[in-house]
Amino acid sequence: MDTLESIWLNTKKLIEKTLSDDDKSVVYKEFFDDTSLVELTDREAVVLTKYQFHTLVLNDNEHLNLINSSLQKVINRDIRCRIVFEDDYYKVKEDEIKNKKNSVEEFTNNVMPEYTFENFIHGPSNKEAYSAALAVATNPGRNIYNPLFIYGDSGLGKTHLLCAVGNYIKDKSPEKKVLYISSNNFVNQVYQASKNKSIDLLKNQLNSLDVLLMDDVQTLSGKKTSNDVFFDIYNELFNNRKQIILTSDRLPSQIKDIEERLISRFTQGLSVTITTPEFDTALEILKLKINTHNISPNSIEPEVLSYLATNFANDVRSLEGSLNRLLFYSINYNDKETIDMNLALEAFKGHVTTHKKQTELQIKDVINVVSDYYGITKNQICGKSRTKNIANARHIVMYLCYKHIVDTSYDKIGKELGGRDHSTVLSGCEKISKLLKSNESYRKVISEIEHDLLTR
Ligand code: ADP
Ligand code: MG
């Protein structure tokens, strides 16, 4: 095959000959001699000049025609030449290379290192997703778990688990190509690539992966080109037994405006869900996060942790936020060694209403939950019995009403609890507060009841 150099040499010979026939040898020497051919596609050739001024000259009709027709003769097909000043040409090329390089870098090493299995607390709410993720991490590409589809509300740990798989595989098999990418970023990459006409490059990059971790696939909804590109990549990876893990805030069948063929592939492997952490899991997560803040776990009273786990564990992100708020508040306003319930109540004044049910809570709800918990009747709680068990349940009702019900008072509580007076309720609340300070198993009981109350 002829090289660009030899093609151009022959073309220049033709041009030189034509010009010398016309007595314009000097024109050839001045403008054509040091041109070069750098690109030749089906329809277009790119010819470079050494000086900007030469580009202007060679771009006039007469010269351009001469160049086009000479090159056509040499390669024996129709072709148009683009005359470009060398410096401009290489500048554009450099930028293109830089852009490509950036996108390649973006495509590797982007699994967030802080999310691992070691710092993922597992409990009933996420056990299934945790086990499946671990199974995939230890043995990627096995068909039954391909793709692994993890779904659940925001803030419940989907991204964390996804990256945990990536970090695990990278650690055990550093040669494996692992990519974490959010679907939003993927859509952007597809958009850029289609603008730069480099969709094939993008596909090649992704097709060469061993593990694709794609976050929040619900955002592919309505993005036709991205759906198509993803479909091709998906099939290629799947057929080559490469592991795919996807997350979404909903089930595949609930993702609107996404191609049916993609949905059916999403459900081809295993779908697992993560739900709101239960009380114990939330408590464990809090302890772990306290550790990462380098704070001694003893510096926060257990009652406070129960309070956070009860009121802010709708999702883990909010739970972390509540701890951060508490620590911030403590650094600025606490003059004691430990963080106690008083400080927590101060820190979250006006914030606990983030728990929707809190505002709707009424005294009768507390009576219901406590009587259910102890297996006694409402009448017993509101009645006159002083049996230890019943009196204790009654005191707990007083304490929880005062703690959780917005805009209440000892008087109001007393009235609904069989017409008791202010001071009886006050002393009941104090009894419980004291027990909470001194008795670990009692704290557990109260937390459990609080949990029932706020998730009823
Ligand atoms: P999602 O992707 O589901 O919206 P993330 O994975 O971003 O949620 O999790 C939100 C935050 O909660 C992260 O900081 C994550 O580390 C933390 N988190 C979630 N679940 C757990 C868990 N089980 N153990 C420890 N941290 C968790
Ligand atoms: Mg996420």
Side-chain angles (χ1 to χ4, degrees), residues 112 115 153-160 162 180 215-216 218 247 317:
M112 287 168 267
Y115 293 149
D153 283 341
S154 165
L156 294 179
K158 300 182 297 296
T159 301
H160 189 135
L162 198 61
Y180 165 85
D215 212 358
D216 290 316
Q218 77 276 359
T247 76
R317 202 172 282 129

Side-chain angles (χ1 to χ4, degrees), residues 272-295:
V272 286
T273 185
I274 306 187
T275 55
T276 300
E278 45 290 307
F279 178 76
D280 287 339
T281 310
L283 214 51
E284 285 308 304
I285 293 175
L286 280 172
K287 287 180 187 157
L288 176 110
K289 303 287 169 184
I290 290 168
N291 240 335
T292 59
H293 282 288
N294 273 338
I295 295 168

